[in-house]
Amino acid sequence: MTMDYLKVIPEYTIAFPVANMPQINLGDKIGSLVVDRMSQLSGVMDKDIYVIASKIVSKAEGRYVDLTTIKPSQEAHRIYGIIKKKSPALFQVILNESLSYKVNKFSVLSQHRLGYVLTSAGVDSIDDTTAIVLPQDPDQSAQHIASEVEKESGKKVAVIISDSEGRTDRRGANAVAVGIAGINPVRISSSVDLSGSVKVNEETICDMLAGQAALLMGQRGRNIPVVCIRGYQFDFDYKARATDMIHKDLLGIKMFNNG
Amino acid sequence: MTMDYLKVIPEYTIAFPVANMPQINLGDKIGSLVVDRMSQLSGVMDKDIYVIASKIVSKAEGRYVDLTTIKPSQEAHRIYGIIKKKSPALFQVILNESLSYKVNKFSVLSQHRLGYVLTSAGVDSIDDTTAIVLPQDPDQSAQHIASEVEKESGKKVAVIISDSEGRTDRRGANAVAVGIAGINPVRISSSVDLSGSVKVNEETICDMLAGQAALLMGQRGRNIPVVCIRGYQFDFDYKARATDMIHKDLLGIKMFNNG
């Protein structure tokens, strides 16, 4: 693709795959691997945003569950009776990761223990006997990866850990952020309408960034678990946590009635 | 921003604002305006995807509602008693746009007459006495705009009409697609897992594209209602409609119990 046209465009964001990442194993340093792969592209730049699929973070942190060791509860069996597509043991893992949940005929819509609403509580099956769950503390994981990148590259970056997630009304999944480092997940702005009323707008930019990355990550097996987003204007925020975007009226409240 | 680094990146998507769009009035040809503004940037290119805020499409199509002519029903008054933030007349407009709905203390979660789940059925207030509703047929609007762009530029493009939309668990809004031309809203792929099972993945790419654009559209008053996304690899699909992404088990079914 030629890029001469970019010379006349005053503002843009660009997203590209951090290609050729290896398969991730327990203990792998994802930040180091990102810096290594980026050195084959343009190198890390200040204010790069690295969106990282939660799956590889979970793998590096060993967040596997051996399904043969799980004893499904009556409730897990009941859910299996409704949905079938997963095993009772896998449903039990989903319940274990959930603060509250509701069941429909397609899926378990879970309020994950961290507060996020996620289909199946972000639990994936790796094979018939192994599940993988979200990182224990995705914000901390993101901060750890950002620190590695910064230490090895000398550049200041933001990190977003993303998970694929659909909407109940729609076929197919989008992606959402579950962990964050260096960037506030919410953008707040205000404007004045034609009546003179001030309207405050909040936008979940971390989910927009996760979606932009997911467009390139694409399907499993394509081996693109990391995408770099460059050009988005933001101020570093080192206090921000992904849980900051949980609706404040819902924090600590069970959203669903477990049924 | 320098773009020399792009020379070493084999694959990327770029998003940029189609800046300096004028205020849109009834009858304005949005496609023509896009071609005009793009001529000041790089010109329209084949396979450009133009993401367009539904608000300006509604304005061009005159989708205003004079709230002083609306007689709120008992149900609209009841909802006003719960939520307050909007007027009973505005709640009535929301109900009129809804196939089904449910009310919580923050908002009306509506199944829009076209099938999409949208907060407040995509209805916005323009000022104290005027509301604006989604285009009558957003797919048709998108096709119309795409045709204008193609006719005036000689290039083949896709168009996505987007609306801002939040998730119940999160502060702030993301964006979703409500109308489409030339691109299938869902990407389908398959992969084989470690057990040898084939997994089929569906991804709502139109929502990912809408989110990517929303990052640049930003808040009201910034006057960026159109964003160009370039570089995303897709095959033109002229039969695709945004309603193709409604979950097939939900098509034609009232999702909520109106209460």
Side-chain angles (χ1 to χ4, degrees):
Chain A
M1 202 189 314
T2 174
M3 69 293 296
D4 287 349
Y5 67 85
L6 290 177
K7 292 175 183 161
V8 297
I9 296 172
E11 178 185 13
Y12 58 87
T13 64
I14 177 163
F16 59 90
V18 179
N20 302 318
M21 287 286 286
Q23 288 298 317
I24 300 296
N25 298 303
L26 179 64
D28 280 350
K29 293 187 169 188
I30 291 173
S32 298
L33 292 168
V34 166
V35 173
D36 179 60
R37 292 304 173 275
M38 285 298 293
S39 70
Q40 299 164 22
L41 300 170
S42 62
V44 174
M45 290 189 185
D46 278 322
K47 289 217 169 177
D48 277 354
I49 301 170
Y50 290 97
V51 181
I52 300 180
S54 67
K55 180 80 69 72
I56 67 163
V57 180
S58 293
K59 285 184 173 181
E61 296 180 1
R63 300 281 293 155
Y64 296 99
V65 179
D66 178 350
L67 293 173
T68 64
T69 68
I70 298 290
K71 186 168 157 37
S73 62
Q74 269 199 318
E75 177 65 356
H77 280 290
R78 185 186 75 82
I79 296 170
Y80 174 70
I82 298 167
I83 305 180
K84 296 287 184 196
K85 271 196 291 185
K86 302 177 200 289
S87 68
L90 194 54
F91 283 120
Q92 186 58 50
V93 177
I94 293 167
L95 297 183
N96 294 349
E97 287 285 299
S98 301
L99 181 62
S100 74
Y101 59 91
K102 79 177 170 187
V103 180
N104 63 35
K105 60 179 174 171
F106 310 112
S107 59
V108 179
L109 189 62
S110 159
Q111 179 187 16
H112 186 268
R113 59 184 168 75
L114 294 169
Y116 312 119
V117 174
L118 294 172
T119 312
S120 303
V123 176
D124 268 327
S125 61
I126 293 284
D127 58 32
D128 290 345
T129 57
T130 316
I132 191 160
V133 301
L134 287 190
Q136 182 64 35
D137 181 342
D139 282 328
Q140 200 174 69
S141 305
Q143 288 155 35
H144 185 71
I145 293 168
S147 297
E148 273 175 12
V149 171
E150 292 179 356
K151 200 170 147 192
E152 298 200 15
S153 70
K155 307 292 182 182
K156 289 176 74 173
V157 305
V159 167
I160 292 175
I161 295 178
S162 70
D163 196 37
S164 68
E165 177 62 13
R167 288 173 56 96
T168 49
D169 59 330
R170 276 153 141 77
R171 286 173 56 199
N174 196 329
V176 295
V178 295
I180 270 171
I183 186 169
N184 197 300
V186 180
R187 177 169 67 188
I188 299 173
S189 59
S190 59
S191 61
V192 180
D193 77 5
L194 296 175
S195 301
S197 310
V198 175
K199 291 199 179 189
V200 175
N201 298 303
E202 296 190 337
E203 294 171 292
T204 323
I205 56 161
C206 55
D207 288 347
M208 297 176 185
L209 291 160
Q212 179 164 4
L215 204 61
L216 291 167
M217 285 183 182
Q219 64 278 24
R220 295 164 209 249
R222 197 169 171 235
N223 195 24
I224 298 178
V226 184
V227 166
C228 175
I229 296 177
R230 189 168 278 176
Y232 177 63
Q233 300 299 311
F234 69 101
D235 294 320
F236 283 110
D237 181 343
Y238 294 104
K239 287 184 187 158
R241 300 289 173 264
T243 42
D244 294 348
M245 72 186 153
I246 303 291
H247 203 295
K248 66 178 185 301
D249 295 279
L250 297 173
L251 271 176
I253 290 172
K254 290 189 181 186
M255 294 178 68
F256 305 123
N257 294 322
N258 294 5
Chain B
M1 201 191 314
T2 173
M3 69 293 294
D4 288 348
Y5 66 86
L6 290 177
K7 291 175 184 162
V8 296
I9 296 173
E11 178 185 12
Y12 57 85
T13 64
I14 178 163
F16 59 89
V18 179
N20 302 318
M21 287 286 288
Q23 289 297 317
I24 300 296
N25 298 304
L26 179 64
D28 280 350
K29 294 188 168 186
I30 290 173
S32 298
L33 292 167
V34 166
V35 174
D36 180 59
R37 292 304 173 276
M38 284 299 293
S39 70
Q40 299 163 24
L41 298 170
S42 61
V44 174
M45 290 189 184
D46 279 321
K47 290 217 168 176
D48 278 353
I49 300 169
Y50 290 96
V51 182
I52 301 180
S54 66
K55 180 79 70 71
I56 67 164
V57 180
S58 293
K59 285 184 173 180
E61 297 180 1
R63 301 280 294 157
Y64 296 99
V65 179
D66 179 351
L67 293 173
T68 64
T69 68
I70 298 290
K71 187 168 156 33
S73 61
Q74 269 199 316
E75 176 65 356
H77 280 290
R78 184 185 76 82
I79 296 170
Y80 175 70
I82 299 167
I83 305 180
K84 295 287 184 198
K85 272 196 290 186
K86 303 175 198 289
S87 68
L90 194 54
F91 283 120
Q92 187 59 50
V93 177
I94 293 167
L95 297 183
N96 295 348
E97 287 284 301
S98 301
L99 180 64
S100 73
Y101 59 92
K102 79 178 171 188
V103 180
N104 63 36
K105 60 181 175 170
F106 311 111
S107 59
V108 179
L109 188 61
S110 159
Q111 179 187 15
H112 185 269
R113 60 183 167 75
L114 294 170
Y116 312 119
V117 173
L118 293 172
T119 311
S120 302
V123 176
D124 267 328
S125 60
I126 293 285
D127 59 32
D128 289 346
T129 58
T130 316
I132 192 159
V133 301
L134 287 190
Q136 182 64 35
D137 181 342
D139 282 327
Q140 199 174 70
S141 306
Q143 288 156 34
H144 185 72
I145 293 167
S147 297
E148 272 173 15
V149 171
E150 292 180 356
K151 199 170 146 190
E152 298 200 16
S153 70
K155 307 291 183 183
K156 289 176 74 170
V157 305
V159 167
I160 292 174
I161 296 178
S162 70
D163 197 37
S164 68
E165 176 62 12
R167 289 172 57 94
T168 50
D169 60 329
R170 275 154 142 76
R171 285 174 56 200
N174 196 331
V176 295
V178 295
I180 270 172
I183 186 169
N184 196 300
V186 179
R187 177 170 68 187
I188 299 172
S189 58
S190 59
S191 61
V192 179
D193 77 5
L194 295 177
S195 301
S197 311
V198 175
K199 291 200 178 188
V200 174
N201 297 303
E202 295 190 338
E203 294 172 290
T204 323
I205 56 162
C206 55
D207 287 349
M208 296 175 184
L209 291 160
Q212 179 164 5
L215 204 63
L216 292 167
M217 285 183 182
Q219 65 277 23
R220 297 164 208 252
R222 200 172 170 230
N223 194 27
I224 298 179
V226 185
V227 166
C228 175
I229 296 178
R230 191 168 278 177
Y232 176 64
Q233 300 300 310
F234 68 101
D235 294 319
F236 282 110
D237 181 343
Y238 293 103
K239 287 185 186 158
R241 300 290 173 265
T243 42
D244 294 347
M245 73 186 152
I246 304 292
H247 203 294
K248 65 178 187 301
D249 296 280
L250 297 172
L251 270 176
I253 291 172
K254 291 189 179 184
M255 294 178 66
F256 305 124
N257 294 321
N258 295 5

